Amino acid sequence: MAGGCSTTNAGEGKDFAASGIHCWKNINDGKLGNSYSWIPGHSGAFVGVRFAKPELIEGLRISRKGTGSCCNDRISGSYEVQYTTVENANHLTAAALWVSLGTFSRQGFGFEYFKFCDAVHATALRITATSSGACIDELEVYSPSAQTQ
């Protein structure tokens, strides 16, 4: 994976023609480290996951510098967490159809878990970053029945 993402355009799905380091496709690939991370590239960019069916979710975990990772940088700015109940939501879904769950700032490197005040039913979840150079290695979403570490 040499160089940056092959396209900075928004997209969706595993078959979308974007590849390389820091692409949005890396956000939920199960791999940690700089070569498998997402960097927004501009303030206000977002990344997220869509569920096959509506899911009850209660929190999320993001990472930077997981096991075997090289980097302890790019955690600045704030992050807004939003969800929607729109069927087949994607990067083209109108901003008014997303509900904010709040914002957070990252406190350190490694894994950070955020539990929502109340579990919500959602068809998709996204994170908007204020810093163009922020970096997330992996995004995991949890249901109330999931066991967290």
Side-chain angles (χ1 to χ4, degrees):
M1 292 182 136
C5 187
S6 62
T7 179
T8 57
N9 296 329
E12 64 180 287
K14 293 181 180 186
D15 297 326
F16 187 78
S19 61
I21 190 170
H22 307 313
C23 281
W24 56 266
K25 288 175 65 172
N26 297 335
I27 198 68
N28 194 242
D29 61 2
K31 299 176 184 176
L32 299 172
N34 200 52
S35 294
Y36 308 104
S37 64
W38 170 74
I39 293 179
H42 63 86
S43 179
F46 59 84
V47 68
V49 293
R50 180 174 56 204
F51 310 117
K53 60 180 181 46
E55 296 286 344
L56 184 64
I57 58 174
E58 72 171 5
L60 63 92
R61 185 170 82 167
I62 59 170
S63 62
R64 179 70 177 149
K65 191 181 180 183
T67 303
S69 181
C70 68
C71 306
N72 59 357
D73 61 353
R74 299 180 178 162
I75 62 168
S76 63
S78 63
Y79 304 80
E80 182 179 14
V81 179
Q82 299 175 313
Y83 76 96
T84 188
T85 57
V86 172
E87 190 173 320
N88 296 315
N90 63 23
H91 59 286
L92 300 175
T93 301
L97 299 174
W98 293 87
V99 178
S100 180
L101 288 167
T103 61
F104 66 89
S105 295
R106 294 163 80 179
Q107 302 303 307
F109 304 102
F111 297 101
E112 292 184 275
Y113 181 73
F114 302 94
K115 186 173 182 179
F116 309 147
C117 292
D118 296 303
V120 296
H121 283 91
T123 56
L125 180 126
R126 71 182 188 179
I127 296 176
T128 302
T130 61
S131 172
S132 62
C135 189
I136 299 175
D137 288 353
E138 198 71 5
L139 165 64
E140 298 172 359
V141 181
Y142 291 94
S143 68
S145 62
Q147 297 294 318
T148 59
Q149 298 177 11

